[in-house]
Amino acid sequence: MLLATSSAALAASGDLANVQVSKVSGTVTVTNEDGTVVYKGSDDADAIEAAMKAIDSGVISFQKGEYNIDRTLRLKSDITFIGEEGVVFDCISSPGFTTGTGGYSSSTIPVASNANSGTTQIKLSSVSGLNVGNYIKISDDFTVSYEGRSYKNGELAKIVAIDGSTVTIDSPLYDSYTTSRNAKVREISMLENIRFENIDFVGKGMGTSSTAIYFYATKNVTFSNCGIEDFGTRAISLFDCLDCTVENSTFKRIFKDGTGYGIAITNACDNIVIKNNSFLEKGRHYIAVVSSRGGVTTDGFTRHVDVLDNIFRDCADEAVNSHPTSSPIFRVIGNEFYDSRKGVELARTDSIVKDNKFYRCKNALVTLSTGNHVIENNYFNGNRISIIPHATSNIIRNNVFDNGGYIMPELNAVIENNIFKNYSGYIIYASGSSSSNLQNIEITNNVCEDPLTMAMKLSYAKNVSLSNNNLRGHLEFSRCNDVQIDGNRINSPASSGIKVINARGEHTITDNEIKADSVGISLENTGTSLIKNEIIIGRNAIDAPKAYSNDDYSSVVVEEGAPEIPLWGVQDSRLREASPDTVYNDARYLDLGGRDGVGGYRDLVIFDLSEYEDAELIENATLSLFWYCPDGRERPEDTIVEIYRPEAWNPDYVTWNSRDLNTPWVNAGGDWYDRNNASQGSIPYATITIKGSDVPDNSYHELDVTELVKEYVGGEYENTGFLMKARTESGNYVAFYSSDCGITESIPKLDVELKPEPVVHVLNNLQDSRLREGTPDTVFNDVRYLDLGGREGVGGYRDLFMFDLSELDDAESIESAALSLFWYYPAGIERPEDTIVEIYRPEAWNPDYVTWNSRDLNTPWVNAGGDWYDRNNASQGSTPYATITINGSDFPDNSYHELDVTELVKEYVGGEYENTGFLIKASTESENYIAFCSSEYEDKNQRPVLAILEKA
C-alpha cells in the first residue's frame, strides 16, 4: 500500500510518497511504500541513501526535523525530495548533494563536415557507441578569452535519428562548428527529473568553501519552496543542465570573495527558469552565468535564462550577472532590485529587461561586450547610475526614472519615450575620448519633469540624434561630431539652453523651442584656432536675452523663421454648435460667443503642467489669447469671456456633442465645474470683457487662471485644461489664434510665475592643507589631493579647509550649508575598515606652515594632528559638526559626497567664532585610508565646494 504523509507541501503537489523519512530523538526511520522499515539508525546521510535505494523512482517525503548531511550524497534520476514544514538539511559536507560527473564520456568523435547554425543534422566520422535517445555535446576550438583563460564554445543536443554516420538532433544548432576548428562530439548520459520541495538548506557559513547542490548533466530539475542560507561558494550549481526551474524559494547569506553564487549556471545549460524567489541578505552574485574551468568538460556556453518576478536585496556585486564567457539569451522580467552594487550586468548576451524595479543601486543595469538588449517599462528609483549600455545594441524605452540615476550610453543606443522625474543631476551622461566608441545614439520623445542645471552631457560622441524631447536643463555637447538636435523643447534654468564646445564635426540645431536665462545656443571654443566645422542653426524659437553666441566658429549658418513643428505644451480644440459632431483640433483659430442663425462657439485648451510640482511656489498663472477676428468690425453685444474646469476630453475626438470617441457630454457644448466646484456652475475661475464697440487689436488679452492652475498642480483635480465660453452667445462672436496658427508669436500662452527661489552661493575660494602623521613636520599645502583615515605602518591623515565667507553677512538667512568632497581614491580597492568622516572647528592655522605637529611657524599644536572644538565647544571633543560613513566595501565612485556643515557656517557668519574653517578627520585611523580631490586638482569640477542656500 501507499503511505500517506502529513506534509502540506506533498498534499498540495498531488504526489504520494513512495518512501517516508522521519527523525525522532536522534533516530532516523525510513519506511517504504509497503510499510516496511528499510532503515533505522542515527546516521541521517545513511538514511537518505537508503531511501533513494528503496525506489527506482518516486517521492521521498521528510517529516519535520533537522537532518545532518555530513558527506556528499549522490543523486539519481526520477527522484523527488519533499519536506513538511520545518524540514532542515544541515549541509555539514560540501556539496551536500551532487549528481556526480560519471555521465561524461572520456572519448570524443570528430565531426566529418561542417555543421552550420540552424541545422539539425551532424555528419560524424563514426557513430560507434551512439544510439537514438543519447545526449551529445558538440563543440570546437572557437574560444572566448576572459581573465587570461580561453573558454570553448559548445552546446547540448539529443539524438533523435541515426542514418549512416549522420545523426539528427532534436533542435537546430545555435552555432556553427567547423572541421577547421576541430569540431567534435562527446556522449553525455543525462540524469533526469530531480526535484526538491519545501526543504531548508543550511550551509557551513559565509566565507567557507561550501555548496548545497551540484547538478552535472541533469535535465528537468525543480527546486521549489525551499530556503537556502549560509553557503560560501555556491548554493545551487547547474553545470550542463537543461530545463531547470528554481521557484518560490528564499536565499540568504551566500557569499565568499571571488565566488559566492546563489545560483551558478555553468557551461552548456539551456532553458533555465528562476522565478518568484526572494534573494534577501548578503549575496555576492545571486544569479550568475559563468563558464567554469572545473568539471569533466568545459566546452559550452549557456543559452536561455529567464529571471522572472524575483526580489533581490543587499548584493555586494551583481544580483543578476553573465560573464563574457557565456552567450545566453536573458529575459529579466518583473523583478525588484534593492541596494545592490549592480542590479543586473549582462555580458555577451541578448536580453529583454522589462517591468522591473530598481531601487538605490550604484549601477542598476549594465550591458557589456556584444549583444542586443531591449530595456523597457522598468522603474528606476534612487540609483547612482541607472543604465550603462555598453553592448552592441540597446533599446531603452518606456521606462520611468525617479530621483536620480542617469543613463550612460556608448554604442548603438536608442533612448526613447522615457520619463525622468524628481531629478537634480544628469539624465543622460557619457564622457568618452578621441579613441572611444561613443557613437550612434538616438534620443527621442523623452520627458524630463524637473529643472536641472545640466540635463544631458555627451563628450567625444559621434552620430547623435536628439529629437522631440521635452527637457528641463541645458544640453552640452563637447568635442562631438555629426550631431542633430531637432524638434525639442528645452527649458533651461541655466545660462545656456544648448552648449556646443569644441565641435569636431557638423552640428545641426533646428526647429527647437529653447528657453534660457542668458543664451539660447552657445558655441564655445576653448582652443586657440578657429573651428571650421559647419554649424547649422535654423528656425528655433528662442526665449533668452541672447539667441546665439559664437566663440571662434567660422562656419555658422543661421536660418531665421518659426519652427516647422507645433510648439510643445499646448493642445486645443474648438466646439461649434452648428456642426456638433465635427472635430476641430487643427484649426488655426479658437472662437467663442455666438452668431445669429449659427449658434454658439466654445473652446478647450490644455497645457502641459508637468514641470511644476509645488502649487505653493506658484505666484501667478496667466492665460494669454491673441485676438484677431472679426477684423475691423464692431459687434452688437459685449463678449464676456469666462474660464471653467472641464471634464476630461480627448482632442482627437472632442466635438460639441462628445468629449471622446463614443462618449457624449452630459450637456451638449461641454460639461464643466465652476470655481465653487458646482457642475455647470456660473462662477468662472477667470473672466475678461471685450466690448462690442472694440475692434480686434492683434494683441494678447490676459486671464488670471492662478487658482485653477494651482488646483491642478497641487493634485486637487486632474489637469483637464480650460473650457472657454462667452457668458451669452448671441451677436458677440470673437476669435483668437490657436496653437495651429503657424505664428509662434500669436499662439495661446500660459505664463506661470514662480515665487523667488532661494539664493545659492557656491564657494570655491578656499585654502586647504593635508596633515600626515608619517611626516609630521612637512607642509602639504599644494598637493592635488586631501586624504584621511589611516594606513598600517604610516599612521593617520587629516585635512584643513577654509573658505572665504566674506560675501555672507546674515547667519539667520542661511537655510543650509553643504561641504562637497569628490572621492576618487583608492580606485577599485576595498578597505578593511569603514571610514567615518568627521568635521570639527580647528584652532587658527597658517596654510604656509601648518603640519601634523604645528599650526604656524614655530607654533606647535597642543595636540599633534590638530587642536579642535566639537559642536558642544568641547576641546578635542568627539561630537562632530557633521559626519558621513563610507563603507569599507565601497569603491571610490568618482562623485561628490556631502557633509551638512550648516551649524558651523552659521556660527562663523554670525560672529560667534572666528572663521578657522574645517578640520576633517576619520573617527578611527586604521586601514581605512581614502582621498578626495583638493583645491589644486587639475579638474576644477572636482575640487571641494561649499554650497550655501539662503532663505527666499
Side-chain angles (χ1 to χ4, degrees):
M1 66 178 182
L2 295 176
L3 291 177
T5 176
S6 60
S7 168
L10 188 61
S13 71
D15 291 312
L16 295 176
N18 301 106
V19 177
Q20 198 166 58
V21 183
S22 62
K23 185 174 183 179
V24 179
S25 300
T27 299
V28 190
T29 303
V30 181
T31 307
N32 70 11
E33 61 183 350
D34 297 324
T36 303
V37 175
V38 298
Y39 177 87
K40 190 169 186 176
S42 60
D43 191 313
D44 300 351
D46 279 350
I48 295 172
E49 286 183 333
M52 286 191 284
K53 289 178 182 178
I55 52 175
D56 293 328
S57 64
V59 177
I60 303 173
S61 69
F62 291 81
Q63 293 185 349
K64 182 178 180 179
E66 181 175 326
Y67 298 85
N68 297 318
I69 315 299
D70 60 1
R71 62 183 182 273
T72 299
L73 299 181
R74 183 69 60 86
L75 298 168
K76 64 179 184 178
S77 290
D78 303 312
I79 199 79
T80 295
F81 293 77
I82 297 182
E84 70 176 22
E85 207 62 37
V87 172
V88 178
F89 283 178
D90 188 355
C91 297
I92 300 169
S93 67
S94 178
F97 294 86
T98 184
T99 56
T101 58
Y104 291 91
S105 172
S106 60
S107 61
T108 60
I109 301 172
V111 172
S113 61
N114 295 343
N116 295 321
S117 172
T119 188
T120 58
Q121 293 189 322
I122 307 170
K123 186 174 178 59
L124 303 175
S125 62
S126 169
V127 293
S128 176
L130 298 180
N131 297 290
V132 172
N134 288 163
Y135 282 89
I136 58 171
K137 178 182 284 186
I138 183 170
S139 63
D140 65 14
D141 289 340
F142 169 79
T143 60
V144 172
S145 296
Y146 179 59
E147 294 182 345
R149 296 177 174 181
S150 294
Y151 299 83
K152 292 183 179 181
N153 191 24
E155 57 191 274
L156 293 168
K158 185 177 183 180
I159 300 174
V160 295
I162 300 176
D163 183 6
S165 60
T166 298
V167 299
T168 301
I169 57 176
D170 58 342
S171 60
L173 290 174
Y174 292 117
D175 293 324
S176 296
Y177 301 88
T178 66
T179 57
S180 62
R181 295 197 302 240
N182 300 316
K184 55 189 174 297
V185 300
R186 175 196 308 268
E187 194 236 330
I188 296 180
S189 299
M190 301 285 288
L191 274 70
E192 298 190 68
N193 307 323
I194 298 176
R195 184 166 120 206
F196 287 89
E197 183 174 346
N198 211 49
I199 295 170
D200 290 336
F201 293 78
V202 177
K204 296 190 292 183
M206 293 190 303
T208 65
S209 297
S210 55
T211 298
I213 309 176
Y214 220 134
F215 293 102
Y216 291 94
T218 309
K219 178 178 171 64
N220 194 21
V221 169
T222 303
F223 191 86
S224 178
N225 296 299
C226 293
I228 189 160
E229 59 187 48
D230 292 318
F231 289 88
T233 305
R234 303 180 179 198
I236 301 173
S237 185
L238 304 173
F239 192 107
D240 285 334
C241 291
L242 304 175
D243 305 332
C244 300
T245 300
V246 180
E247 61 185 356
N248 303 316
S249 296
T250 300
F251 293 73
K252 295 181 180 179
R253 299 183 298 279
I254 314 298
F255 192 96
K256 182 182 179 184
D257 287 337
T259 55
Y261 301 106
I263 302 173
I265 306 165
T266 310
N267 262 33
C269 291
D270 199 359
N271 191 26
I272 308 301
V273 179
I274 303 167
K275 63 182 181 180
N276 297 314
N277 301 285
S278 296
F279 300 84
L280 297 182
E281 183 182 335
K282 192 62 175 175
R284 182 177 173 270
H285 295 300
Y286 280 128
I287 299 171
V289 176
V290 299
S291 285
S292 173
R293 298 291 295 181
V296 172
T297 177
T298 60
D299 304 335
F301 297 147
T302 295
R303 301 297 171 170
H304 290 85
V305 178
D306 286 351
V307 181
L308 312 174
D309 301 315
N310 303 280
I311 295 176
F312 300 90
R313 297 182 185 273
D314 186 28
C315 190
D317 267 304
E318 299 88 15
V320 177
N321 169 256
S322 68
H323 285 24
T325 52
S326 58
S327 58
I329 296 174
F330 257 96
R331 292 196 312 154
V332 182
I333 300 174
N335 304 279
E336 295 181 14
F337 298 84
Y338 298 85
D339 303 298
S340 297
R341 191 174 77 87
K342 294 180 183 177
V344 177
E345 182 179 88
L346 302 176
R348 201 170 171 267
T349 72
D350 292 341
S351 78
I352 295 173
V353 182
K354 64 182 293 187
D355 300 329
N356 303 285
K357 296 178 180 180
F358 297 85
Y359 297 90
R360 301 180 301 275
C361 298
K362 288 189 176 179
N363 299 329
L365 172 59
V366 182
T367 64
L368 300 170
S369 186
T370 59
N372 303 301
H373 303 270
V374 176
I375 302 164
E376 62 184 355
N377 300 327
N378 300 286
Y379 176 73
F380 297 88
N381 181 285
N383 305 285
R384 187 174 69 89
I385 303 177
S386 288
I387 305 176
I388 306 177
H390 289 351
T392 301
S393 172
N394 298 271
I395 297 174
I396 303 167
R397 65 190 177 203
N398 300 324
N399 302 283
V400 175
F401 299 85
D402 189 355
N403 187 30
Y406 54 85
I407 301 173
M408 184 186 287
E410 187 176 52
L411 174 68
N412 301 334
V414 175
I415 303 170
E416 62 184 7
N417 299 316
N418 302 285
I419 295 174
F420 300 85
K421 61 183 182 179
N422 300 318
Y423 265 65
S424 59
Y426 304 111
I427 62 172
I428 298 174
Y429 172 84
S431 183
S433 65
S434 57
S435 60
S436 65
N437 202 19
L438 183 58
Q439 60 181 315
N440 304 334
I441 301 169
E442 181 179 330
I443 304 170
T444 307
N445 294 319
N446 301 282
V447 175
C448 174
E449 297 182 354
D450 303 280
L452 308 177
T453 302
M454 183 181 294
M456 187 183 310
K457 180 177 180 179
L458 298 177
S459 301
Y460 290 100
K462 182 179 180 181
N463 190 18
V464 178
S465 174
L466 185 78
S467 62
N468 300 319
N469 300 281
N470 187 359
L471 305 176
R472 301 196 66 200
H474 89 268
L475 317 180
E476 181 176 304
F477 296 86
S478 177
R479 295 172 172 83
C480 294
N481 184 8
D482 192 10
V483 176
Q484 296 187 20
I485 306 171
D486 177 71
N488 303 280
R489 183 189 186 199
I490 302 163
N491 186 348
S492 171
S495 59
S496 301
I498 299 173
K499 186 179 292 186
V500 177
I501 303 174
N502 300 338
R504 298 165 68 91
E506 181 178 312
H507 286 56
T508 301
I509 307 172
T510 56
D511 297 314
N512 301 282
E513 179 187 356
I514 303 170
K515 184 176 181 179
D517 287 351
S518 180
V519 181
I521 300 171
S522 176
L523 308 180
E524 300 184 11
N525 178 11
T526 63
T528 58
S529 58
L530 282 174
I531 293 179
K532 299 179 181 180
N533 298 302
E534 186 175 51
I535 310 296
I536 299 174
I537 300 173
R539 302 178 307 280
N540 299 285
I542 298 177
D543 180 5
K546 188 174 183 180
Y548 317 108
S549 66
N550 183 357
D551 179 15
D552 286 337
Y553 283 71
S554 64
S555 182
V556 178
V557 179
V558 178
E559 301 172 0
E560 300 297 341
E564 294 180 351
I565 60 169
L567 294 182
W568 284 70
V570 58
Q571 290 180 300
D572 47 40
S573 294
R574 61 190 289 260
L575 313 180
R576 186 174 188 266
E577 187 176 12
S579 45
D581 296 311
T582 302
V583 176
Y584 295 103
N585 62 2
D586 58 358
R588 63 189 303 268
Y589 53 90
L590 301 170
D591 43 357
L592 49 81
R595 281 176 168 166
D596 292 341
V598 179
Y601 298 81
R602 300 173 185 175
D603 308 280
L604 291 159
V605 182
I606 187 168
F607 290 85
D608 179 7
L609 300 177
S610 62
E611 65 182 274
Y612 307 106
E613 294 184 348
D614 189 347
E616 294 306 311
L617 294 179
I618 295 176
E619 188 83 45
N620 296 296
T622 303
L623 174 64
S624 298
L625 303 172
F626 198 96
W627 183 30
Y628 82 102
C629 182
D631 186 26
R633 282 183 285 166
E634 297 180 358
R635 295 161 327 284
E637 302 292 336
D638 292 348
T639 307
I640 303 173
V641 181
E642 298 180 332
I643 299 291
Y644 294 95
R645 174 170 59 86
E647 284 281 4
W649 52 282
N650 186 336
D652 292 331
Y653 300 105
V654 70
T655 67
W656 184 273
N657 282 338
S658 299
R659 63 187 182 95
D660 203 345
L661 181 65
N662 301 322
T663 307
W665 299 105
V666 174
N667 303 280
D671 303 325
W672 69 77
Y673 299 88
D674 72 1
R675 70 186 304 166
N676 295 330
N677 198 31
S679 177
Q680 306 303 110
S682 59
I683 310 298
Y685 279 90
T687 183
I688 57 172
T689 299
I690 300 177
K691 292 187 175 296
S693 58
D694 289 344
V695 296
D697 55 6
N698 287 292
S699 65
Y700 278 108
H701 290 249
E702 296 181 346
L703 294 104
D704 183 356
V705 292
T706 305
E707 182 178 351
L708 182 51
V709 169
K710 291 181 73 170
E711 288 175 351
Y712 285 154
V713 172
E716 188 171 349
Y717 304 113
E718 175 193 359
N719 177 14
T720 56
F722 310 117
L723 184 144
M724 301 190 306
K725 63 181 290 290
R727 182 171 299 175
T728 62
E729 294 171 335
S730 175
N732 59 350
Y733 175 90
V734 296
F736 306 94
Y737 279 122
S738 77
S739 63
D740 296 293
C741 70
I743 308 170
T744 303
E745 296 78 9
S746 303
I747 66 169
K749 295 191 304 183
L750 181 65
D751 295 314
V752 179
E753 180 184 348
L754 301 178
K755 295 176 182 178
E757 294 185 0
V759 178
V760 179
H761 301 269
V762 179
L763 306 182
N764 304 97
N765 186 10
L766 77 151
Q767 294 176 305
D768 49 28
S769 294
R770 61 191 290 259
L771 312 180
R772 185 175 188 269
E773 186 176 15
T775 48
D777 296 312
T778 302
V779 176
F780 296 104
N781 62 1
D782 60 355
V783 294
R784 61 193 293 272
Y785 56 89
L786 298 166
D787 43 4
L788 50 84
R791 279 176 164 167
E792 187 176 350
V794 178
Y797 299 80
R798 300 173 185 174
D799 307 283
L800 291 159
F801 294 78
M802 186 158 60
F803 289 85
D804 181 2
L805 302 178
S806 60
E807 67 181 81
L808 306 170
D809 55 12
D810 183 3
E812 292 306 313
S813 71
I814 295 175
E815 184 82 33
S816 64
L819 174 64
S820 296
L821 303 174
F822 196 94
W823 181 30
Y824 80 102
Y825 186 85
I829 301 174
E830 297 181 353
R831 288 149 288 115
E833 303 292 337
D834 293 347
T835 308
I836 303 174
V837 182
E838 298 179 337
I839 297 289
Y840 295 94
R841 174 171 58 86
E843 284 282 4
W845 51 282
N846 186 336
D848 293 330
Y849 299 106
V850 70
T851 67
W852 183 273
N853 283 337
S854 300
R855 63 187 182 94
D856 203 346
L857 182 64
N858 300 324
T859 307
W861 300 104
V862 173
N863 302 279
D867 303 327
W868 68 77
Y869 299 89
D870 71 1
R871 70 187 305 166
N872 297 324
N873 198 30
S875 177
Q876 306 303 111
S878 59
T879 306
Y881 279 90
T883 182
I884 57 172
T885 298
I886 298 178
N887 294 326
S889 59
D890 289 347
F891 298 110
D893 52 9
N894 286 293
S895 64
Y896 278 107
H897 292 251
E898 289 188 354
L899 295 105
D900 183 354
V901 292
T902 307
E903 182 177 352
L904 182 51
V905 169
K906 292 180 75 169
E907 289 174 352
Y908 286 152
V909 173
E912 188 172 348
Y913 302 113
E914 174 193 0
N915 178 16
T916 56
F918 310 117
L919 184 144
I920 181 168
K921 63 181 290 291
S923 178
T924 61
E925 294 170 337
S926 175
E927 297 302 305
N928 57 352
Y929 175 88
I930 62 173
F932 302 100
C933 299
S934 77
S935 63
E936 304 291 332
Y937 198 76
E938 57 270 14
D939 187 343
K940 64 182 180 182
N941 294 318
Q942 297 178 10
R943 296 172 184 171
V945 173
L946 180 63
I948 312 293
L949 177 66
E950 288 190 327
K951 299 173 184 176

